[in-house]
Amino acid sequence: MKKMLVMLMVVFLVMGFAFAEAQQETMSEQTIEKVIKTNVMASGDLEIFSWWAGDEGPALEALITQFKGNYPKVNLINATVTGGSGVNAKAVLKTRMLGGDPPEAFQVHAGQELIGTWVNSDRMLDLTPLFEAENWFEVFPEDLINLIGTDEGIWSVPVCVHKSNVMWYIPANLKKWGVTVPTTWDEFFAVATKLQAKGIVPLSMGALWTANENWENIALAVLGVDDYNALWSGDLAWTDAKVEKVWMTFGKMLDLTNKDASSMSWQQATDMVISGKAAFNFMGDWAAGYMMTTLKMVPEKDFGWANTPGTTGAFQFLADSFGIPKGCKNPTAAVAWVSACGSKAGQDAFNPLKGSIPARTDANMSLYSVYSKSAAMDFANDSIVGSLAHGCVANEGFMNDFNSVMDGFMKNRDAKAACLACAEIAETNGMTK
Amino acid sequence: MNISKGKKKNKEKLYSLLILLPSILLVGIFVYGFVGNTIWTSLTDWGEGAGLALNPIKNFVGLKNYKTLFFSFTQSGFRQDLVNTIFYTLLLLFGTLFLGLFLAIMLDRKVKKEGIYRTIFLYPMALSFIVSGTIWRWLLAPSGGVNQIPTWFGGKQNQFLWISSQKQILQFNWQNIWQVLGVIGLIFCVIVLLINIKREDKRKIIIWSCVSGIFALFAFVICPLIPPVLKSEEKHGLNLAIIGIIIAGVWQYSGYAMALYLAGLRGLSGSIKESAKLDGANEAVYYFKIAIPNLKPITLSAVVIMAHISLKMFDLIYAMAGADNGFTGHPSVRMYLTTFRANKFALGAAMAVILFFLAACFIIPYMVNSHRSRRPMR
Amino acid sequence: MNKVKVKKSFYYFWMIVLCIMFLTPVYMAIITSLKDPAEINLTTSWKWPTILNFNSYSKAFKLLKPNFINSVILAVSGTVISSFVGAINGYIFSKNKFKGSELIFTLLLFGMFIPYQIILIPLFQVLKTFGLYGSLTGLIFAHVVYGIPIVTMLFRNFYDQIPDSILESGRIDGAGYFSIFTRLMLPLSIPSFVVVGIWQFTQIWNEFLWGICLTKQSSNPITVGLSQLAGGQAVSWNIPMAGAILSALPVLAIYIFLGKYFIQGLLSGSVKE
């Protein structure tokens, strides 16, 4: 009896091994070109997958309403998954993609998060024919298209753009303390000393990902646009003295932040600036949405913004976009959806409610807030570089490991060790030449 | 008569087997099959490349992932998570069991409105870890919540950073890991040795003295001769940040321990208590010398259930400290992130296997004890 | 007389302190749920809201209603099925032992120690293969399967406390294998059903990860609904807190009303071994 049991257990274990090797069904050949050529009216089920909810819900709803107006026959299923700073959404999406049940379209950050994860695994449909048909090459900035495409094609349609190198402050408070907005890091350190003497925290910060965002702002400042891009393309070594300087500046910046940063959400860090406990906060421009919509503050009057020190003339961006996975059940409807996402009407319905700026350069700016107008001007005029913390310039494997490097740096403040660690994780994650 | 009894017994045996068959099959597939699947995945390199392809290329790499986890410097976070796990489990166990026992003793006397107290202590169990984690996150935020309490009484705001704390005590260096393990093994052997000396079991005394000797030799003579396992120093220890999470966990499950112990205390017949009183024992003596030793089986059962719960700490840690707080890390959180955020499926699977073995360790003493008590005495 | 009074007040003092400590998180949740979003701030987290904003509850309820129904179906079916599986398995392992049954039990018990994240991907693939992905049926199935070890253990320990003599007299009276179970054991098992039922109901009701990965939108349980409330870039915490309180109410109600039976069930030896 016992022998039989042990044998049975072994059988199950081996079955498990074998199951792991089972092949997935191959998916039929679909291309966007075929869909466009067939030109049939979209109908049936359309499942879109995103992580927009809460305060971003209304924006998505507006886009969906606009889409439904044009395609009444489509049954749109909004499979939003929120929570866990997007990790839950990723878990659900990846489980489905691995299990062979892709949605028609899913939200993904434009850039390496899309390319490193999905394009390299050959799971996305090439949207170049759609870009041509919709004339999007004229409408989206060239820098943006370069970042969302590879040599083999273009893989998603950008819906909204956020700027990550923004520094927020309360003008009235700065006046009270007698400080002006710094434009370089030397100026910032000088201002910080003045503020610390008054017992004000110079820079408020939240949980780890906000530290990553601050790091990328400093990297852009210290390296400048060209070297910053070189770092991600593998042309600049992580162990270079310039990169070490980035970490050292970052270390100095950490000394100016609040000690309880890791337990604060980003809104709570913004709250510190509003209540006067802190002077400045670096955050992407969803902070404007928070201040205007939830806290009902007036831009320019109640709160002010500037580029983070040292990044004048540069726009560090992240873009949410929609891509179409291979093997989806209703490609016609999927194409209809992403064209709506990239259309002028769609973007102008979505972005004002979300507080972001449209990826298109021909949007109707009168619909947007004072802040968004200034951001859109920057987007049109400044050099555009990608954000690190939001999946543009580095793939997911690198980002995950970078969190550990950041965690280690925050413990020991060793710039050289951080550089070496980054060099190693860049290599393991395929980011070196 | 005997033949038909034998036949009947066989028929019943068949029924038993048939009824158990679905459970056996289901658990076989869904537990053992999946564990096998995970073990296999951990021996490949799935994820080092196009991990999410429809037919990803998985090469067999043997124990490479395990080597990375234990000895590569990129995974120092995982090693701290392992150390954290030990403290999480021990502190959670001790915390819930002690508080539960204390509450049970408090409630054991015939209190008016016992139902209300019992409900107050038991209700946290009804909440999900995510809900309680979110609330406790607010309570333990350094600039609000619990730290503000001293200010109500005129004191200064408490400065302990709770989950943001970066302090670490009981530090040791991972480079000396073999030595640390040797010393821990030695301490364990010495304890067992002392127990056997008390029991005056000659044979076992000799055995455990020899084993202790071997561990001592290993720890103090051989280990210094082994080259360090890491290139540079790496400190690990008890992170004070986990205290906040332990508090939330203990708050949530001490009620369950209380219910168990209360049932146990009530189960001790009232006459024992009466005769103890008559013999002049006061409350303290009654509890310490009579009641508590009788609660040992309950404790053992509670340990198994709490170990099962400590695996679900994922939800609690995730809700309280977020995904990337290295100080409160746990292998289950890291495994989740490594698999679903970094797409490193094989590495995540290796973490999962280690986690599974750690958890299974708790069942072994229970099984041994249960086997011993069920087998007829020699 | 005074000594007794001092002792009593000392005792009640500590009981009250403990109760306050246990109730603080609920207080925090309730006042946050009643605040206006703009008022929710870390530094003022203890303050009673200036205006009682009850519409966070109505908003939360509206958003959570479909999920609530799903959770009820999920938890009730899962609990009922689990309990019966546990009962019959426990009966066998306790009263109808055969050679190797101990080993099978030990092997079954290991199933308790699987962290849910580990088996997510294979579970998804198996459920999808059988067409159970996305629906509540698949989720119920998963919960029943992974609940087998613990419910079996709880029932087995309970049945160990029932003396064999009861079964002997049953056999003498001519009862067979199954009728002993249905006519003798089941009626005696009510306390154990309460304990197992409460435990499984709590676990299934509060489970999040499978709820989010194994169901599609229409079958989302309430834990998923809750996380949607707290999602997004800027969270107004009053609604998620209100939602959390609402979602905890059914389980809380069970504990409040059945708490006595829970202890009684434990007393009857459910976990004595």
Side-chain angles (χ1 to χ4, degrees):
Chain A
M1 188 66 211
K2 286 198 180 174
K3 262 199 203 159
M4 203 178 89
L5 275 174
V6 175
M7 262 185 54
L8 202 63
M9 200 174 94
V10 170
V11 165
F12 280 128
L13 279 173
V14 170
M15 261 172 61
F17 283 13
F19 183 69
E21 291 302 296
Q23 299 288 315
Q24 299 274 12
E25 342 133 21
T26 49
M27 299 198 167
S28 57
E29 269 307 300
Q30 301 164 311
T31 56
I32 299 295
E33 202 142 17
K34 277 193 203 157
V35 171
I36 297 179
K37 283 220 175 89
T38 0
N39 203 17
V40 87
M41 183 61 160
S43 63
D45 284 346
L46 167 70
E47 202 177 1
I48 60 167
F49 187 91
S50 73
W51 57 80
W52 283 318
D55 288 355
E56 296 154 334
L60 184 57
E61 286 302 315
L63 182 56
I64 292 178
T65 315
Q66 203 261 334
F67 172 80
K68 279 194 174 148
N70 290 337
Y71 297 94
K73 284 207 195 142
V74 175
N75 173 25
L76 190 142
I77 307 169
N78 180 2
T80 304
V81 174
T82 52
S85 47
V87 190
N88 289 335
K90 289 189 181 153
V92 177
L93 182 62
K94 286 172 191 177
T95 309
R96 287 184 61 169
M97 295 288 277
L98 279 173
D101 183 42
E104 267 67 48
F106 61 85
Q107 174 195 1
V108 64
H109 282 136
Q112 282 303 315
E113 186 178 297
L114 164 67
I115 296 173
T117 312
W118 302 109
V119 178
N120 283 351
S121 307
D122 195 28
R123 298 302 299 261
M124 307 298 291
L125 287 174
D126 178 16
L127 299 175
T128 318
L130 186 62
F131 269 67
E132 283 164 349
E134 301 276 341
N135 205 21
W136 282 339
F137 285 110
E138 314 295 318
V139 166
F140 293 124
E142 195 182 330
D143 289 341
L144 180 55
I145 297 190
N146 287 339
L147 282 164
I148 58 175
T150 61
D151 293 334
E152 274 113 54
I154 307 180
W155 307 101
S156 67
V157 178
V159 183
C160 65
V161 169
H162 276 292
K163 181 175 176 181
S164 89
N165 58 322
V166 192
M167 177 168 64
W168 306 95
Y169 57 88
I170 310 291
N173 287 348
L174 290 192
K175 215 166 164 197
K176 192 171 66 172
W177 301 320
V179 298
T180 51
V181 179
T183 50
T184 66
W185 274 101
D186 290 329
E187 280 175 33
F188 190 87
F189 290 131
V191 164
T193 325
K194 218 171 158 191
L195 290 165
Q196 279 177 320
K198 295 187 203 274
I200 317 266
V201 175
L203 183 64
S204 71
M205 202 170 76
L208 196 82
W209 71 267
T210 64
N212 290 344
E213 212 185 59
N214 287 14
W215 188 91
E216 75 187 18
N217 298 147
I218 293 183
L220 181 58
V222 170
L223 297 175
V225 171
D226 293 326
D227 276 337
Y228 181 83
N229 285 332
L231 185 62
W232 303 115
S233 64
D235 291 312
L236 177 66
W238 277 92
T239 43
D240 193 290
K242 295 185 210 162
V243 184
E244 207 181 315
K245 187 158 175 245
V246 172
W247 281 104
M248 293 202 295
T249 316
F250 181 70
K252 279 208 269 182
M253 180 218 87
L254 277 181
D255 290 331
L256 304 174
T257 56
N258 45 320
K259 296 266 171 301
D260 55 354
S262 65
S263 66
M264 289 199 143
S265 67
W266 68 265
Q267 293 104 311
Q268 288 167 338
T270 311
D271 286 339
M272 279 183 77
V273 174
I274 298 172
S275 67
K277 288 222 185 88
F280 298 102
N281 174 249
F282 301 168
M283 184 48 59
D285 51 20
W286 43 87
Y290 171 59
M291 287 190 275
M292 291 188 296
T293 317
T294 314
L295 300 178
K296 319 235 184 314
M297 295 166 73
V298 177
E300 280 181 342
K301 194 166 75 112
D302 297 330
F303 68 89
W305 61 89
N307 275 11
T308 55
T311 61
T312 322
F315 188 108
Q316 208 163 23
F317 94 103
L318 59 121
D320 289 313
S321 60
F322 271 95
I324 305 180
K326 280 191 184 167
C328 63
K329 291 181 259 196
N330 192 346
T332 319
V335 171
W337 169 255
V338 297
S339 351
C341 291
S343 68
K344 183 158 186 280
Q347 298 211 346
D348 282 341
F350 180 83
N351 285 295
L353 288 174
K354 189 176 190 289
S356 49
I357 59 176
R360 291 176 71 112
T361 46
D362 62 348
N364 178 3
M365 288 319 294
S366 64
L367 299 168
Y368 294 81
S369 72
V370 172
Y371 169 75
S372 296
K373 288 193 189 133
S374 109
M377 274 232 301
D378 292 341
F379 191 59
N381 299 326
D382 292 348
S383 324
I384 302 179
V385 295
S387 154
L388 167 70
H390 300 282
C392 193
V393 289
N395 61 37
E396 292 188 304
F398 180 85
M399 275 319 297
N400 195 58
D401 292 339
F402 188 80
N403 284 331
S404 308
V405 176
M406 176 62 75
D407 203 40
F409 180 80
M410 291 179 80
K411 271 190 233 174
N412 59 29
R413 302 292 171 92
D414 186 343
K416 241 203 172 67
C419 285
L420 284 169
C422 283
E424 180 159 332
I425 65 177
E427 197 178 323
T428 24
N429 288 296
M431 290 185 40
T432 46
K433 279 242 161 83
Chain B
M1 195 56 197
N2 269 335
I3 301 173
S4 69
K5 233 192 178 174
K7 262 198 187 157
K8 201 177 183 194
K9 258 208 149 178
N10 275 334
K11 203 166 72 163
E12 291 190 355
K13 226 168 133 183
L14 189 64
Y15 286 155
S16 301
L17 217 54
L18 280 179
I19 294 178
L20 281 184
L21 200 61
S23 298
I24 297 178
L25 280 177
L26 286 174
V27 171
I29 298 177
F30 285 85
V31 173
Y32 289 97
F34 288 175
V35 170
N37 185 329
T38 309
I39 295 179
W40 172 251
T41 308
S42 74
L43 299 175
T44 65
D45 68 349
W46 184 17
E48 303 288 335
L52 283 151
L54 270 181
N55 292 313
I57 303 173
K58 306 180 198 171
N59 307 310
F60 183 78
V61 291
L63 296 175
K64 175 161 162 260
N65 289 320
Y66 294 97
K67 279 205 202 121
T68 311
L69 286 179
F70 284 109
F71 302 122
S72 152
F73 93 106
T74 47
Q75 292 297 332
S76 64
F78 176 73
R79 294 190 280 274
Q80 180 59 42
D81 290 351
L82 280 183
V83 176
N84 281 352
T85 310
I86 299 176
F87 288 116
Y88 268 127
T89 318
L90 288 178
L91 288 176
L92 186 70
L93 275 177
F94 279 122
T96 36
L97 293 181
F98 272 118
L99 186 57
L101 185 59
F102 179 69
L103 290 172
I105 293 179
M106 291 282 261
L107 285 184
D108 191 27
R109 51 208 69 228
K110 305 232 184 301
V111 194
K112 262 198 291 192
K113 305 200 189 134
E114 178 196 306
I116 297 187
Y117 290 120
R118 202 184 47 221
T119 309
I120 293 182
F121 296 136
L122 204 54
Y123 90 86
M125 232 180 104
L127 301 173
S128 83
F129 267 144
I130 299 188
V131 169
S132 56
T134 313
I135 300 179
W136 275 100
R137 185 191 200 152
W138 277 71
L139 279 176
L140 294 179
S143 51
V146 164
N147 280 355
Q148 285 184 340
I149 295 185
T151 57
W152 302 343
F153 301 109
K156 258 184 21 182
Q157 181 152 342
N158 186 12
Q159 290 301 318
F160 183 51
L161 292 176
W162 295 108
I163 308 178
S164 309
S165 168
Q166 305 206 342
K167 295 207 194 119
Q168 198 178 60
I169 60 175
L170 299 179
Q171 283 189 334
F172 68 94
N173 187 345
W174 190 269
Q175 286 185 309
N176 303 328
I177 185 65
W178 296 118
Q179 192 169 45
V180 169
L181 289 175
V183 169
I184 293 178
L186 179 65
I187 295 177
F188 177 72
C189 290
V190 168
I191 293 178
V192 180
L193 182 64
L194 289 173
I195 294 178
N196 281 312
I197 289 180
K198 201 166 164 207
R199 284 200 200 145
E200 294 178 22
D201 185 338
K202 270 220 172 115
R203 205 188 85 202
K204 289 214 169 146
I205 292 179
I206 298 177
I207 296 179
W208 284 107
S209 311
C210 290
V211 179
S212 308
I214 296 177
F215 268 107
L217 193 72
F218 176 70
F220 297 117
V221 175
I222 299 184
C223 282
L225 299 174
I226 303 178
V229 296
L230 287 179
K231 287 182 242 164
S232 55
E233 192 181 69
E234 189 180 280
K235 290 235 152 71
H236 291 298
L238 165 60
N239 286 329
L240 292 182
I242 72 175
I243 292 184
I245 302 194
I246 299 288
I247 291 181
V250 169
W251 171 80
Q252 192 144 359
Y253 277 97
S254 51
Y256 177 71
M258 174 200 78
L260 284 180
Y261 282 126
L262 196 57
L265 287 173
R266 295 266 160 88
L268 294 172
S269 71
S271 59
I272 297 185
K273 207 170 180 180
E274 284 306 313
S275 49
K277 255 198 185 151
L278 285 175
D279 284 346
N282 67 1
E283 302 238 36
V285 172
Y286 166 68
Y287 279 115
F288 277 100
K289 291 242 163 105
I290 302 174
I292 293 183
N294 272 315
L295 295 174
K296 210 174 83 158
I298 294 188
T299 307
L300 215 49
S301 172
V303 166
V304 171
I305 303 241
M306 287 315 300
H308 169 67
I309 295 290
S310 76
L311 281 178
K312 304 209 172 157
M313 294 261 278
F314 172 85
D315 290 339
L316 185 63
I317 299 174
Y318 206 62
M320 272 184 90
D324 288 303
N325 188 335
F327 294 98
T328 55
H330 190 268
S332 58
V333 180
R334 190 169 292 265
M335 179 259 157
Y336 186 67
L337 294 176
T338 308
T339 306
F340 291 107
R341 197 168 66 174
N343 310 323
K344 298 197 172 142
F345 299 101
L347 196 60
M351 291 183 195
V353 171
I354 295 177
L355 190 59
F356 178 65
F357 277 119
L358 271 182
C361 283
F362 279 93
I363 205 180
I364 294 173
Y366 177 79
M367 283 287 107
V368 166
N369 194 64
S370 149
H371 248 273
R372 220 179 264 162
S373 63
R374 290 175 135 248
R375 244 191 279 147
M377 301 302 267
R378 291 221 198 137
Chain C
M1 199 53 211
N2 263 335
K3 205 171 175 196
V4 176
K5 265 202 172 162
V6 166
K7 226 175 159 194
K8 250 198 167 176
S9 27
F10 188 67
Y11 172 82
Y12 276 110
F13 172 72
W14 280 110
M15 285 303 272
I16 297 200
V17 166
L18 282 170
C19 287
I20 293 182
M21 278 171 31
F22 267 80
L23 288 173
T24 313
V26 174
Y27 170 73
M28 182 65 106
I30 294 182
I31 57 173
T32 310
S33 66
L34 293 172
K35 282 184 184 163
D36 195 70
E39 220 190 312
I40 299 177
N41 198 305
L42 257 188
T43 39
T44 59
S45 49
W46 290 105
K47 287 213 190 110
W48 191 257
T50 45
I51 316 169
L52 290 179
N53 177 14
F54 282 103
N55 78 53
S56 27
Y57 282 95
S58 48
K59 269 196 213 151
F61 184 69
K62 205 172 65 167
L63 290 167
L64 288 180
K65 202 159 72 166
N67 299 323
F68 194 87
I69 299 175
N70 285 335
S71 272
V72 170
I73 300 176
L74 170 68
V76 170
S77 343
T79 305
V80 167
I81 301 177
S82 265
S83 308
F84 278 103
V85 170
I88 193 96
N89 284 352
Y91 171 58
I92 293 176
F93 283 120
S94 175
K95 298 299 175 203
N96 285 295
K97 294 194 260 268
F98 51 91
K99 218 165 83 169
S101 65
E102 279 302 296
L103 184 61
I104 299 184
F105 182 70
T106 312
L107 292 179
L108 270 186
L109 216 54
F110 268 106
M112 256 174 78
F113 292 93
I114 293 269
Y116 285 4
Q117 307 87 37
I118 293 179
I119 38 87
L120 192 59
I121 296 180
L123 181 62
F124 177 90
Q125 290 174 324
V126 168
L127 284 182
K128 180 152 186 298
T129 318
F130 288 109
L132 291 174
Y133 160 67
S135 64
L136 277 181
T137 320
L139 195 54
I140 295 175
F141 177 73
H143 278 296
V144 168
V145 169
Y146 286 95
I148 290 179
I150 196 170
V151 300
T152 308
M153 179 184 97
L154 289 175
F155 268 105
R156 188 198 79 151
N157 291 348
F158 179 78
Y159 286 145
D160 276 347
Q161 300 302 310
I162 296 182
D164 288 346
S165 49
I166 295 188
L167 277 86
E168 281 305 313
S169 47
R171 280 184 200 273
I172 293 177
D173 285 346
Y177 186 89
F178 288 108
S179 41
I180 290 187
F181 181 63
T182 45
R183 295 219 198 108
L184 284 179
M185 305 291 283
L186 276 187
L188 291 174
S189 329
I190 308 266
S192 186
F193 270 103
V194 172
V195 172
V196 169
I198 289 183
W199 179 268
Q200 277 296 83
F201 190 87
T202 315
Q203 298 300 314
I204 298 179
W205 184 270
N206 287 329
E207 200 280 324
F208 173 69
L209 190 64
W210 287 350
I212 205 169
C213 287
L214 301 177
T215 57
K216 293 212 173 172
Q217 202 78 354
S218 53
S219 321
N220 279 346
I222 206 168
T223 44
V224 177
L226 254 186
S227 76
Q228 312 284 50
L229 290 182
Q233 293 278 19
V235 185
S236 3
W237 284 101
N238 54 326
I239 302 186
M241 288 288 180
I245 293 178
L246 285 177
S247 68
L249 283 180
V251 194
L252 264 178
I254 292 185
Y255 275 85
I256 292 177
F257 293 117
L258 294 181
K260 191 168 64 176
Y261 300 105
F262 189 59
I263 307 256
Q264 260 178 26
L266 292 177
L267 180 65
S268 311
S270 199
V271 281
K272 255 223 179 106
E273 193 181 336

